[in-house]
Amino acid sequence: MHLARFPRRFIAHLPTPLERLDRLTAELGGPEIWIKRDDCTGLSTGGNKTRKLEFLMAEAELEGAEIVMTQGATQSNHARQTAAFAAKMGMKCHILLEDRTGSDNSNYNNNGNVLLDHLHGATTEKRAGGGDMNAEMEALADEMRADGKKVYTIPGGGSNATGALGYVNCAFELLGQANERGLKIDHIVHATGSAGTQAGLVTGLKAMNAQIPLLGIGVRAPKAKQEENVYNLALKTAEKLGCPGVVQREDVVANTDYVGEGYGIPTEDGLAAIRMFAELESILLDPVYSAKGAAGFIDLIRKGHFKKGDRVVFLHTGGSAALFGYDNAFDFQDRWKRA
Ligand SMILES: *Cc1c(COP(=O)(O)O)cnc(C)c1O
């Protein structure tokens, strides 16, 4: 796997740690739980989009872009990492934020990732939920290009074949760590949304013949749609890498039973997962993605989906900054007391 053939702007703190979660493993009494800490990629509170942006922003730079434009939900981690990456490269950043939840909560609309977008100097505009955000962004970019501006657009979540290279690289990195330590990995589980993370991982794992089943826990789309999105992007990613046909349809597996009411709306089991990871392992999850991924992971462990003694890696995709946009999802009245 020769990723150095592709332009890349090195900024992430890599490799991210691979750690065993002893207290969570003991609590759940099932497989041995490991975590791949892509919440620790280092850019403005970290997260999975930084790996994708290393390849996307290098492309933007080569094209001579002055402005990068992207889109996402109000509390988008992708938007925040793009804003931070652009600042580091001395580029302007403009973000279309889609109101997917309809929340009028002040922290949701101004704190967390939104605060960080603005701190990194990005400009933002709101759009109503439910539109074709990538199309709206391209239309706006074309208007700006007509005014002579050099605009590079990044699709939602940074999920195209260029961005997915970041997760091909992660598959490569994780397998290297496992091999160095003699750690046989039986499963990898992570939250899947705009599909780039899973598409890159499955392409990398298959291209290396890793023989590790990968499971994406969905946060938005129904199963058939999510798997189709991942598969289609994996095909493009494999083509870009020069190994077309390496991913089969059945390699792409998503479980979308943990979405709850919808994208960006916290679930009870997701909030319980946040508290569990925070109290047992001092690891911060986010209510939109990693908590729903972890809730699915925990539920599957409890249902016996994994064998005792299996080594299962939860890929932590980040998102903790969103916690500060969701403080009202928690009730900590009972903590105002002496231990
Ligand atoms: C974007 C994101 C995901 C999902 O990754 P995709 O590549 O969009 O599928 C998962 N977790 C967090 C915290 C994210 O920000």
Side-chain angles (χ1 to χ4, degrees), residues 48-49 52 100 159 189-202 214-223 225-231 233 252-259 263 286 288-294 314-315 317:
N48 63 337
K49 304 312 181 303
K52 304 180 187 183
R100 289 188 200 164
S159 285
V189 179
H190 68 95
T192 180
S194 68
T197 300
Q198 191 169 3
L201 284 174
V202 75
L214 177 68
L215 174 64
I217 309 281
V219 300
R220 191 179 192 192
K223 179 178 167 75
K225 179 83 192 141
Q226 186 65 25
E227 290 183 348
E228 184 189 313
N229 289 347
V230 173
Y231 181 57
L233 183 51
V252 176
V253 184
N255 179 328
T256 58
D257 295 344
Y258 304 92
V259 175
Y263 176 90
D286 79 290
V288 182
Y289 294 96
S290 51
K292 289 183 182 177
F314 180 73
L315 171 70
T317 43

Side-chain angles (χ1 to χ4, degrees), residues 72-77 98-105 107-109 113 191-194 217-221 258-268 270-271 274 286-293 319 322-330:
T74 304
Q75 281 294 334
S76 167
N77 301 299
E98 180 188 5
D99 181 13
R100 289 188 200 164
T101 66
S103 167
D104 59 6
N105 179 273
N107 279 336
Y108 179 79
N109 286 290
N113 283 302
T192 180
S194 68
I217 309 281
V219 300
R220 191 179 192 192
Y258 304 92
V259 175
E261 272 181 69
Y263 176 90
I265 302 172
T267 56
E268 279 310 315
L271 295 171
I274 291 177
D286 79 290
V288 182
Y289 294 96
S290 51
K292 289 183 182 177
L323 281 172
F324 308 104
Y326 280 93
D327 63 308
N328 69 339
F330 300 93

Side-chain angles (χ1 to χ4, degrees), residues 187-316:
H187 295 270
I188 303 171
V189 179
H190 68 95
T192 180
S194 68
T197 300
Q198 191 169 3
L201 284 174
V202 75
T203 307
L205 291 170
K206 288 292 291 189
M208 289 182 289
N209 189 24
Q211 304 185 16
I212 304 173
L214 177 68
L215 174 64
I217 309 281
V219 300
R220 191 179 192 192
K223 179 178 167 75
K225 179 83 192 141
Q226 186 65 25
E227 290 183 348
E228 184 189 313
N229 289 347
V230 173
Y231 181 57
N232 288 336
L233 183 51
L235 292 183
K236 289 182 193 150
T237 308
E239 195 123 316
K240 192 175 176 87
L241 278 168
C243 51
V246 81
V247 179
Q248 309 300 307
R249 176 61 185 82
E250 60 267 26
D251 299 324
V252 176
V253 184
N255 179 328
T256 58
D257 295 344
Y258 304 92
V259 175
E261 272 181 69
Y263 176 90
I265 302 172
T267 56
E268 279 310 315
D269 54 352
L271 295 171
I274 291 177
R275 293 176 72 150
M276 217 167 158
F277 271 66
E279 290 175 16
L280 293 174
E281 297 289 351
S282 302
I283 287 173
L284 300 177
L285 303 177
D286 79 290
V288 182
Y289 294 96
S290 51
K292 289 183 182 177
F297 181 48
I298 291 166
D299 190 51
L300 290 171
I301 290 172
R302 288 183 170 143
K303 285 177 173 161
H305 179 84
F306 308 102
K307 288 201 286 285
K308 212 175 162 82
D310 271 1
R311 282 144 160 195
V312 185
V313 175
F314 180 73
L315 171 70
H316 189 344

Side-chain angles (χ1 to χ4, degrees), residues 28-257:
L28 293 170
E32 200 173 294
I33 301 172
W34 289 72
I35 192 163
K36 174 70 172 157
R37 299 290 306 271
D38 273 17
D39 56 322
C40 299
T41 51
L43 183 66
S44 186
T45 74
N48 63 337
K49 304 312 181 303
T50 302
R51 287 188 189 268
K52 304 180 187 183
L53 288 163
E54 288 199 318
F55 292 91
L56 291 160
M57 294 298 276
E59 209 171 84
E61 190 173 41
L62 276 176
E63 289 184 13
E66 302 153 343
I67 304 175
V68 294
M69 197 188 291
T70 197
Q71 59 91 1
T74 304
Q75 281 294 334
S76 167
N77 301 299
H78 163 67
R80 178 252 309 161
Q81 287 162 82
T82 306
F85 215 125
K88 182 77 176 163
M89 290 177 71
M91 285 184 194
K92 288 186 181 149
C93 179
H94 186 67
I95 305 166
L96 303 191
L97 292 177
E98 180 188 5
D99 181 13
R100 289 188 200 164
T101 66
S103 167
D104 59 6
N105 179 273
S106 171
N107 279 336
Y108 179 79
N109 286 290
N110 302 294
N111 204 339
N113 283 302
V114 183
L115 174 70
L116 299 181
D117 294 343
H118 294 153
L119 270 177
H120 292 302
T123 50
T124 51
E125 60 185 280
K126 274 256 165 97
R127 294 290 166 105
D132 182 343
M133 290 294 289
N134 280 334
E136 289 190 33
M137 173 178 70
E138 292 302 337
L140 177 60
D142 283 341
E143 271 175 43
M144 291 168 76
R145 289 178 188 125
D147 285 342
K149 298 196 170 99
K150 290 185 178 160
V151 186
Y152 180 86
T153 55
I154 298 177
S159 285
N160 57 19
T162 301
L165 292 178
Y167 272 86
V168 173
N169 182 43
C170 179
F172 191 60
E173 180 182 300
L174 177 58
L175 221 60
Q177 289 172 317
N179 290 340
E180 265 169 31
R181 297 186 199 180
L183 175 74
K184 179 180 169 288
I185 298 173
D186 296 294
H187 295 270
I188 303 171
V189 179
H190 68 95
T192 180
S194 68
T197 300
Q198 191 169 3
L201 284 174
V202 75
T203 307
L205 291 170
K206 288 292 291 189
M208 289 182 289
N209 189 24
Q211 304 185 16
I212 304 173
L214 177 68
L215 174 64
I217 309 281
V219 300
R220 191 179 192 192
K223 179 178 167 75
K225 179 83 192 141
Q226 186 65 25
E227 290 183 348
E228 184 189 313
N229 289 347
V230 173
Y231 181 57
N232 288 336
L233 183 51
L235 292 183
K236 289 182 193 150
T237 308
E239 195 123 316
K240 192 175 176 87
L241 278 168
C243 51
V246 81
V247 179
Q248 309 300 307
R249 176 61 185 82
E250 60 267 26
D251 299 324
V252 176
V253 184
N255 179 328
T256 58
D257 295 344

